[in-house]
């Protein structure tokens, strides 16, 4: 008599509350349990020379069900620093990672005579948190951003086990509609596949720094387009902008299904 084979858990699109049973050998019924649920949503991060913009929609879904229309995905990690975290994936894991980072930032400030954690230190700590759960990974895709001690913008994106580039990135996106948004950001932020019109496609357009107003418009355009093409993105858009003058937050309406 052979035991039914068990497939390893993965980040597929099945949802735990309606995962079907199956016949393993024609004689035994095999029941599967998936501890992860993709709760939809998308996040974006874009940096300039001395500013960073992080944004996420506010829709929380399970399959075709909308659980909440006001679930924020971008978190400030302190009231008097520039650290901002955006996270998307399984809602419970995303909130747990955000709350863990908030406690770490507050503890650091308490233990270091009111000194704020730097963005590079926060980036390394987040990597350690995610890697520490590598045997049962947090289903949370994270983007961390802030200004360094010289006032330069830094942005780091992570996979579920904490891998990230210490050099940082100029743009990042994760979540349900990231496959739609990343090509748009490549073209509009990094100027890929853009050419000087008079050169007839022979001379690449030089990359020019973007200003905060332009970046916010790009973010709004990206999410407006994504909501027309993806059912797991919509309802509201939360935008947090970090500059040397402080942190501002804006929430606007998106398409509601």
């Amino acid at each position: 008599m052979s035991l039914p084979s068990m497939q390893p858990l993965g980040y597929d699109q099945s949802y735990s509350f309606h995962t079907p049973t199956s016949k393993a050998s024609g004689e035994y019924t095999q029941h599967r349990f998936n501890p992860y649920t993709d709760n939809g949503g998308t996040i974006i991060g874009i940096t300039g020379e001395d500013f960073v913009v992080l944004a996420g929609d506010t829709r929380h879904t399970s399959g075709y069900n909308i659980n909440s229309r006001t679930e924020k995905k971008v978190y400030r990690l302190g009231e008097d620093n520039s650290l901002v975290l955006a996270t998307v994936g399984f809602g419970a894991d995303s909130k747990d990672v955000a709350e863990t980072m908030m406690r770490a930032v507050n503890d650091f400030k308490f233990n270091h005579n009111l000194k704020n954690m730097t963005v590079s230190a926060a980036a390394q700590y987040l990597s350690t948190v995610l890697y520490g759960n590598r045997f049962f990974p947090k289903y949370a895709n994270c983007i961390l951003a802030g200004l360094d001690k010289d006032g330069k913008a830094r942005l780091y994106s992570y996979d579920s086990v904490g891998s990230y580039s210490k050099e940082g990135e100029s743009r990042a996106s994760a979540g349900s509609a990231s496959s739609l948004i990343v090509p748009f950001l490549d073209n509009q932020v990094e100027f890929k596949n853009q050419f000087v019109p008079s050169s007839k496609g022979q001379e690449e357009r030089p990359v020019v720094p973007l200003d905060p107003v332009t970046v916010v418009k790009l973010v709004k355009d990206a999410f407006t387009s994504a909501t027309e093409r993806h059912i797991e993105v919509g309802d509201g858009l939360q935008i947090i902008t970090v500059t040397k003058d402080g942190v501002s937050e804006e929430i606007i309406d998106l398409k509601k299904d």
Side-chain angles (χ1 to χ4, degrees), residues 224-246:
T224 300
S225 299
T227 55
E228 295 293 336
R229 306 283 295 182
H230 210 295
I231 62 171
E232 294 180 350
V233 181
D235 294 316
L237 174 59
Q238 177 194 12
I239 304 174
I240 292 184
T241 304
V242 181
T243 67
K244 61 181 180 180
D245 298 322

Side-chain angles (χ1 to χ4, degrees), residues 75-110:
Y75 305 87
R76 290 196 61 184
L77 301 183
E79 293 299 326
D80 59 347
N81 60 34
S82 66
L83 298 177
V84 183
L85 173 68
T87 177
V88 68
F90 179 31
D93 283 351
S94 296
K95 279 195 171 182
D96 181 67
V97 171
E99 290 173 359
T100 299
M101 289 300 298
M102 290 178 188
R103 288 195 300 269
V105 170
N106 289 333
D107 289 346
F108 183 94
K109 185 174 182 179
F110 179 79

Side-chain angles (χ1 to χ4, degrees), residues 1-160:
M1 179 175 65
S2 61
L3 295 175
S5 61
M6 294 297 293
Q7 295 183 356
L9 298 172
Y11 301 130
D12 55 20
Q13 292 298 317
S14 63
Y15 299 94
S16 57
F17 54 81
H18 60 68
T19 301
T21 59
S22 61
K23 294 289 185 179
S25 62
E27 183 178 356
Y28 299 99
T29 300
Q30 180 178 4
H31 297 271
R32 297 183 180 181
F33 170 72
N34 187 352
Y36 300 111
T37 297
D38 185 357
N39 292 127
T42 298
I43 55 176
I44 289 179
I46 303 176
T47 64
E49 185 65 27
D50 56 357
F51 71 93
V52 60
V53 176
L54 258 66
D57 71 301
T58 61
R59 178 171 291 183
H60 186 285
T61 65
S62 294
Y64 292 104
N65 300 316
I66 297 177
N67 302 323
S68 174
R69 299 181 186 274
T70 58
E71 190 74 17
K72 294 183 179 181
K73 299 178 179 66
V74 187
Y75 305 87
R76 290 196 61 184
L77 301 183
E79 293 299 326
D80 59 347
N81 60 34
S82 66
L83 298 177
V84 183
L85 173 68
T87 177
V88 68
F90 179 31
D93 283 351
S94 296
K95 279 195 171 182
D96 181 67
V97 171
E99 290 173 359
T100 299
M101 289 300 298
M102 290 178 188
R103 288 195 300 269
V105 170
N106 289 333
D107 289 346
F108 183 94
K109 185 174 182 179
F110 179 79
N111 294 324
H112 292 80
N113 297 322
L114 302 182
K115 180 181 179 181
N116 286 320
M117 181 184 286
T118 63
V119 63
S120 59
Q124 180 59 55
Y125 187 84
L126 178 55
S127 176
T128 302
V129 169
L130 296 173
Y131 187 73
N133 290 275
R134 63 192 179 280
F135 297 116
F136 195 164
K138 298 288 186 183
Y139 189 3
N141 297 305
C142 301
I143 300 175
L144 178 72
L147 304 181
D148 63 15
K149 61 182 180 180
D150 298 320
K152 186 175 182 180
R154 297 290 182 183
L155 183 141
Y156 308 93
S157 65
Y158 300 78
D159 64 9
S160 294

Side-chain angles (χ1 to χ4, degrees), residues 121-251:
Q124 180 59 55
Y125 187 84
L126 178 55
S127 176
T128 302
V129 169
L130 296 173
Y131 187 73
N133 290 275
R134 63 192 179 280
F135 297 116
F136 195 164
K138 298 288 186 183
Y139 189 3
N141 297 305
C142 301
I143 300 175
L144 178 72
L147 304 181
D148 63 15
K149 61 182 180 180
D150 298 320
K152 186 175 182 180
R154 297 290 182 183
L155 183 141
Y156 308 93
S157 65
Y158 300 78
D159 64 9
S160 294
V161 292
S163 298
Y164 77 108
S165 172
K166 292 188 177 181
E167 287 75 25
E169 304 176 48
S170 62
R171 90 292 176 273
S173 179
S176 302
S178 61
S179 59
L180 302 174
I181 291 176
V182 167
F184 174 74
L185 298 183
D186 287 342
N187 180 260
Q188 294 296 310
V189 177
E190 297 187 344
F191 288 32
K192 292 183 178 179
N193 296 315
Q194 289 202 38
F195 299 90
V196 177
S198 60
S199 69
K200 298 181 179 180
Q202 300 300 314
E203 181 183 350
E204 292 187 354
R205 182 183 173 187
V207 179
V208 297
L210 300 177
D211 59 87
V213 175
T214 301
V215 169
V216 170
K217 289 181 179 179
L218 288 178
V219 168
K220 291 179 180 179
D221 286 344
F223 274 97
T224 300
S225 299
T227 55
E228 295 293 336
R229 306 283 295 182
H230 210 295
I231 62 171
E232 294 180 350
V233 181
D235 294 316
L237 174 59
Q238 177 194 12
I239 304 174
I240 292 184
T241 304
V242 181
T243 67
K244 61 181 180 180
D245 298 322
V247 181
S248 62
E249 180 176 356
E250 177 185 6
I251 298 180

